[in-house]
Every structure is written in structure tokens, then in C-alpha cells.
Amino acid sequence: MTQEGINDQAPATRNVVTFDLCGEVLAVPASQLREVLEPVRVTRVPGAPPFVAELVNVRGAVVPLADLRVPLKMPPGADGPEARILVLEIPLDGQEMVVGIRADTVHEVTRIGPADLEEIPTVGSRWPPRFVAAIGRWRGHFVTLPDLAAIFADFLAGPPGRAPSAGSSGLAPEPETT
Amino acid sequence: MMDEETLTLFRAEAGALVESLETSLLALKDRPNDRELIDSAFRDLHTLKGTGAMFGRADVASFLHDFETAFDRVRDGSMAVTPELVALSLSARDHVADLLRAGEPVAQDPAGQEILARLAALTDGAVPAPSAGPGPEPQGAWQVSFTLPPDTLALGGRPELVLEELRRIGARRIRARVAGIPPLEEIDPENLYLSWVAEIDASVTEDEIRGAFLFHEDGLDLRIEPPAPPSDGETSAAGPPEPKPALAPQRGTSLMRVPAERLDEMMDRVGELVIAEARLADLAARSRDPALMSVAEDIQRLATGMRDNTMSIRMTPIGAITPRFRRLVHDVSADLGKPLTLDLRGEETELDKTVIDRLTDPLMHLIRNAADHGLENTETRRALGKPETGRITLSAGYSGAEVLVTLSDDGGGIDRSRVRARAIERGLIPESVPENDEGLLKLIFEPGFSTAETVTKLSGRGVGMDVVRRSIEELRGTIDVASEAGRGTTITLRLPLTLAIIDGLLIEIGSERFVVPLAAVDEIVELPERHRDGESGNAFLDIRTSLVPFLRLRSLLRATGDPDPHQKVVIVTSGDDRIGLVVDRIVGNHQTVIKQLSPLHSGLKSFSGATLLGDGAVALILDVPNLVARGRGLAEETVEAA
Amino acid sequence: MTRTVLVVDDSPSVRRMISMTLKGAGYSVVEAEDGQMALERASSARPDAVITDQNMPRLDGLGFVRAFRARPEGRGVPVVFLSTETDAAKKDQARAAGAIGWMVKPFDQAKLLDVMRRVLG
């Protein structure tokens, strides 16, 4: 279910929005993008795992703010001058969930066709392969399309604090202090 | 002619009648001679039949005809209310609900025919009055001649509307007679000189013809000649027209039916208004402009009033859903062959409509569970010396800003050793957990505890107690269970009065703000000097001779920065327990529009939701029952250590 | 053209119930809370029909109908009385004052619309 990204489908041309995170170029389907926000005041959620440690107000709705650096095993970093928040609608359990994700810079909406796609390497990748929907080329860079549905589903599946898989993905919420 | 709104009204009204009928029928089971109940059931049947016919649901009307007749006989004493009649009427009620749900008249109705056949058998084979035409119908036409009162025009009456009405009910031909018109110079323009002759279809009743002259009866000259009898033996297929039914009387002219979605929309709007008002107040305070601040205060007062009004409109008594529980117990009792009674207490207790709506399914499940698993079968009860009839009690009542709903049964209680064995088998607890462990019973709410092993027709269906717990938690409520072997089980639900907007106390820890629901706040005290330096240590406050444990939110929430030199303690209550929450600063009251946390954060027990502040920032709402439970744990640890 | 009905009753809920029903059926509605106010409203609104209560402060229903009939805007406009009473003598009084019809409270929406159809078409 969670892999219903590019893996299962016949390759087709898709519109994606490209952005930088931690020196890498990432892309998400443009159809999932609701809007791009300038950095706004965020609220820390005490006890929440680093992946979704904050909340943000998006036009009157309280939206969780996720940091893809955590599941993609990138080092944490501070916001630069061009930092943005991408507000996305992600299919999850048959429903659309609105989340924000952090980006260092947002580039553009572009088309990635079958010819631009690369094989997903099964070994040697820095990233957990199940979190990668596709790898393509854009302006001479590698661009990674993370499988957001898989990332969030994986996060939700990890029962807080005691899931055997929690340690490996680094996603599970840390147990609350009592 | 029949617009959507009217149809909606009809459906709502028919739905209410069907429910009211069910309530009367169920009560009749226990009090078969209650005059008022019999009358009420008859009235509901009659009105349902009448409105059904009026709104094009001849199928409903004709189906109900025999039941109405039966209850008419009950009314005049020629028939008694028996359990069979009640059971059959209940299935008729269900059938009507099905027919109504279909939306369109049903042409073929075998299920209905079967129920009617059973009714006919029940009414002692006495053939009920046939609902079809009573015999040959006269052919021909009524001959009607009339002169309207002379002051008709002066009073604003319009003769052409009378003619129109006559045509509507079935006039074939209308001719004016001009014989009465005086010479032109004598004519008073406000006087009416014409008279008319009309031929009206024989199928129309005399009452209907007279009804066409509404408001013109005084001074009316009306002659009606009945139609000639049929010239041959031909019979008419058309039955006699149904007596013109009246709409169900309104329960008082001041009541109004409103679609529930409009109330939801209204609450959303009020939520937005409250948030906008907070922004305005924030701007006004910054501007220091007294005129602007005064307007902002007015708006705040109005928004608060609006909020309270809207919420009070949404409050619904829990009695609104209890008929379904009565019905459930009736059905389950029949299915299981266990005699059961349902005791309802505090039905007038009100909760927000959304809470009530979303409470129905969990309660249905709990009641079904109690009936199926909780209560022993009749033989066992008899052997134990218990009353044969099992008793399930559902009671509701207020407790501060919460509503307590308890469901108890007088059954055998939960078998602790079986719960323990099952939990170990499912890997929920280690084998070292003893049978008297306090948390043991709560394991029945764990996902994965319920299994298909004990699926029965009633409680199976793959819905476990974990689903019940999740539904209650989604309502920001809590669920608890207590059980005594041989005596029964009690499940306690604590629910917030409303889901939408609450009064909150805005507090600050470091640079972060949080909301504490004001209804849970008892008082605020200064943190005593001697506790100031405790970094993470928790202790007790001596408040008017009682020791209250306190939690330092600063360390609990891992806030950074130095504590305020004048920390405050917010004393909060949940259930019977009190606890102090140490904060840096009290910011003030805040009307809190509750936003649910997304699934990504719903696992966090410290917060029950989030809200938006005047400056647009998000603030988390502290979950007081959860914090109080932690405080209680703290107290127990301390006692054990001592 | 939209027909205008003047609804005169001192009970806000009755007024509201009537006016909701009438508006729902496409009539336009002007409300007044007693006979005096009704006279004022009638002169500007020029109603096509009037529904009035009997017992009201300042000017009751009978007084209002008599005064209304005496005015140019009151000529030929049907007035229906709304009352909880079914007393025949009262009905006669109302008719003499100039009301065309009498309706007994409580009534339902269908009845009200039926009455309006009969007096306004």
C-alpha cells in the first residue's frame, strides 16, 4: 500500500516541484503541493519525535511540520535565508493529510519523464530504499523523489516507544518522560 | 410544487414520528395498559399514515392502515396490548423506516405484506376493514350552484380563487350566471353580483366541495346536488379519497427544526469569529488606541455571547439517543433468550451534539457486550440466586466541565485470570504481572486483545473494545473499567461537554505558551520560596491543610531558559484528584477554539489539542486528566517510598 | 410579482414561524408586533394580504382591521385573523370589522399555505 509511488506504476511523465534540502535536490509531485510558505512562527511540540517536532498555522488550520532530514538521515541544520515550508496533501489510510515539510530553497515546478528516471540502487544508497519512490535527473543533478506516503505510514506504524522497527527507521516518537 | 426543503421537512418529521412510535411501543411492553402510551402510538401511526399519503408515500400510508386500525381497537378496548402485538408493531415500525429510507414509493412490498398477514392472524382472524374501496362508486357529477357573500370584494376576497380551488378538487365545468347584475348605473363596484354553476367529479366528497368555500361561508348561498347513481352495474376502480390529512402539529409554535449541518457550519463560523476577535484584541492592545481598544472589547463581548448561544443551541440531551439503546436491549434480549432490562438515569444530561452523535456507536457496542458477555444466562442466574432478569444500567451526570457516563451490569464480572492469560498469550504483558494487578482490566481496551475466538452474532463483527476506547479518546474523553467477580462490571466514560470552543487559561513557560482548560482550574497560587530552586524535583504543596502534588511543567515539557523568579502554580482538578502545575507566567484568559491534533501527534498524551492565538501562533492545549493521572502516580510513588 | 404579506403578532416566535413558512413559499413578508405598528408598516409596504393576531398591546386586531379598512391601502386587501378562540361571536365581530377569514392557532405550515393560496392565489 505504502509503495504506491512510482515503483508499481508504468513510468509516466509527471509534474514535480523541486527543492533543496541539505545540499541534495528533492522533488515531490506538484499535485500534492498546496502552497509554499515563507518561514513563519512555529510551535514546538514537547515530547514529539524530531521528525514531526513542530506545528504551524496554515490559514487557520493547525498543521504538523515535518523534517525530512530525519528519515533521510541528513544532518540537522538551521534555516537559511531562502528557507520555505511546502504545504502538502499526502494520501494516508485513504485520507488526505495536510503536512508541512521544510526546504532550504524551493526551485520550480518541472516535468520529469520516463527518460529522466534512474534505477533505484538497492545497495550503497545513503537513504532507506523503501523511502525513495524514484530517482531522476534534473538540470544535470540527481533528484530524489521521496515516497512521502511510505515515510509517514512508517512513522505511524511504529508503536510509540517499543516497536522493534523503531530504532532502525529513527522515526518512532521517543517515549515521553513521566 | 414539492420542493426539496419541504421534502426534507417531511423526512425529518417522519423520522421523529418513527422514533416516537418506537419509544411508545417499547414502553408499552412494560406498561401495556398505559392509556397515554396507547394514544401516543395511535397518534403517531395516524400522523405517519396521513403525512405519508400527503407527501406521495401511498405505500407507507396503505401499509400503516391496518396497524392504525388495530391500535384504534386497542383504544376502544376491543383488543389488548400483547407482547406479540408490540413485537409485530416494532417490526412494522422498522419496515416503515426502511420504506422511508428508500425515498421513493415502493410498488411491490412483499415484506410489508408478510407483516400485515401476521397482523391479520394476530387480530384473531377478524378481517380488518378493507382498505380498498367499499363497493360501487357513484358515477356522474355533483351539481353545485352558489352565490358568494355580497361583501366578498370589499373584504379582499377573490372569487376567481374560489373557482380555481373548485377546479383543483375536480370541477369539470363552471359557468357564470349573470342574471343578478343590475343596470350599469346601479352597480356598486365593491359588490359582487355574479353567481356560478359547477359540475364536480363524483369522486370528490361533499366536505371537500364545502372546503373550497373557506372564508366565504358567512352569507354564502350554496346548493349541492349529489351525483346521479350509476346507470349500469359498472364499478369504479378508484377507492374513496383519503380524508385530507393534517401535518403533524408543531410541538409549540416557538420550536423550529434546523438541519444539523447548519449548526455545524454555525459553530465553524463562530470558531473563526473567535480567532479573528483574538487577533483584533491583540492588535488593539499593541496600538494603545483607546477607541480601538474599546471596540475590540465590544467585539469580544459579542463574540463570547455568540459562542455561548451557539453552544447552548448545540447541547442535546443524552435522552435523544437512548431509544436506540432500549430497542437494542429489547432485540438482544429476544435474540439471546435472556430476559433483560435497561435502566436509564440522567437522560436529561446534555452534551454537544457532535459528542452525542459520536457516542452512540461505542455505547451500543458496550451495551451489546454487557448483554452478551457480561450477563449470565437465565439458568446460571437462577442457580446463583440472582434475579432472572439481568439488569443493565446506563446513567449520565455532570462532573465539573465533564460528563460522566457509566454503564453497569449485574452480571458475573470480568474473569481476571482469563484476561491475564489472554494478555500474556497476546504478548501484551509479561508473565510476571500478577492477577491482582491494578492495570490488568484495562488491557481489554488494548488493540489485539479482542480475538475472533469468542465471536458471537452480537459482539463479533470484528469490533473490539480498543475501537470503543479510540472513539472515546477521539472525543477527548477517557474510559475506565471496574469489575467485581459475581457482582458485575462498570464502565465509566468521562467526556468533555463540548468539542469546539472552551474557555482557556493561557500560561507561559520560557517563551512558549500553552492553554489549560479553565473549567479544570481551581485556583492559582504563588510557588512558595522553598520550592523555587528545585530543578526537577517534584513535591507537595500545603494548600489549606491538604497536600497537593505538583508537577514542574518546565521539566516535563523540556522547556529551555531560566525559570521566572515568580513562578505560579495552577491547581487543576480531574475527577477526585487535584494537582498543581508549575508555570512561569499566567498570561490570561483565552477563548480556545479547539483544533484536533493530526494522527502524527495524536499519540501524545500530554495534549488534547491545539489552538490559535491572537498573534497567529499555535498553542498546545494541556490534557488535564492525563497530567492529573501522572500527579497521582507521583503521589503513590512517594507513599510507597516512605 | 412577489406578493407581500403583513404579519401582525406580538409573539416573535409566532411571527417568525409564519414568516419562515411564507418566505419559504415565495412570499415576501413584513412583520409588525402590534396593531399600531402594523398600520405604519402597511402604509409603506402596501401588503397584498394581512395575517393578524387579536390580543396585542397598544392596538388589538379588531381595532387594527377597522382602522386599516378605513384607509386607501386597506381597500380590497384580504385580512385573516389568527386566534386561539373558536367562539362564533368573535368570528362575527372580526368579519364585521372587515376580516375575510379566521384561522385557529395552533396551525401547521400546510394549513397556513393553503389559506394564503385561497386568499392570494
Side-chain angles (χ1 to χ4, degrees), chain C residues 22 25 35 37-38 40 50 57 71 77 84 93 96 101 105-106 108 120:
Chain C
L22 294 180
M37 190 173 177
E40 289 155 23
V50 179
R71 295 176 173 219
V77 174
T84 47
Q93 263 186 321
K105 284 196 270 193
D108 56 56
L120 275 180

Side-chain angles (χ1 to χ4, degrees), chain A residues 41 43-49 51-57 59-66 92 97-99 152 155-156 160 162 173-178, chain B residues 275 427-428 446 511-514 555-560 595-601 603-607 610-613 615-620 626 630:
Chain A
R41 183 162 173 181
T43 298
R44 181 180 70 96
V45 183
F51 173 46
V52 283
E54 292 160 322
L55 294 174
V56 63
N57 171 1
R59 300 182 197 288
V62 174
V63 171
L65 182 55
L92 201 68
M97 183 175 66
V98 179
V99 295
F152 282 100
F155 170 78
L156 285 174
R162 59 184 166 102
E174 31 184 313
E176 285 184 67
T177 50
T178 46
Chain B
I275 290 171
L428 297 173
E446 284 299 312
S511 59
E512 295 173 310
R513 288 168 293 175
F514 298 88
S555 59
L556 187 74
L557 303 175
R558 300 184 203 169
T560 51
K595 308 269 181 185
Q596 300 283 344
L597 291 177
S598 81
L600 300 177
H601 290 127
L604 296 171
K605 300 292 177 214
S606 308
F607 311 108
T611 189
L612 297 178
L613 301 178
D615 58 6
V618 177
L620 287 155
N626 177 270
R630 289 193 198 189

Side-chain angles (χ1 to χ4, degrees), chain A residues 2-28:
Chain A
T2 57
Q3 290 293 328
E4 65 179 69
I6 291 163
N7 294 349
D8 309 348
Q9 295 172 2
T13 301
R14 62 189 60 228
N15 282 323
V16 296
V17 53
T18 53
F19 60 97
D20 278 3
L21 189 63
C22 220
E24 308 273 353
V25 183
L26 302 182
V28 293

Side-chain angles (χ1 to χ4, degrees), chain A residues 48-163:
Chain A
F51 173 46
V52 283
E54 292 160 322
L55 294 174
V56 63
N57 171 1
V58 180
R59 300 182 197 288
V62 174
V63 171
L65 182 55
D67 191 344
L68 289 180
R69 281 177 289 216
V70 178
L72 298 180
K73 311 232 182 274
M74 296 166 162
D79 276 357
E82 288 180 72
R84 296 288 182 274
I85 291 169
L86 297 170
V87 181
L88 306 174
E89 273 178 22
I90 294 173
L92 201 68
D93 274 352
Q95 290 187 332
E96 296 284 310
M97 183 175 66
V98 179
V99 295
I101 58 171
R102 285 183 176 282
D104 292 335
T105 314
V106 175
H107 297 296
E108 61 174 16
V109 174
T110 184
R111 297 167 75 83
I112 289 193
D116 304 317
L117 291 179
E118 304 271 330
E119 282 287 303
I120 302 171
T122 46
V123 286
S125 167
R126 291 198 293 119
W127 297 327
R130 66 184 188 285
F131 291 164
V132 178
I135 294 178
R137 282 187 174 278
W138 170 77
R139 292 194 191 165
H141 297 275
F142 279 110
V143 50
T144 303
L145 279 75
D147 189 339
L148 296 177
I151 292 174
F152 282 100
D154 198 80
F155 170 78
L156 285 174
R162 59 184 166 102

Side-chain angles (χ1 to χ4, degrees), chain B residues 45-60:
Chain B
L45 284 165
H46 175 79
T47 315
L48 256 177
K49 178 183 136 182
T51 37
M54 189 156 103
F55 284 86
R57 295 308 300 269
D59 52 340
V60 172

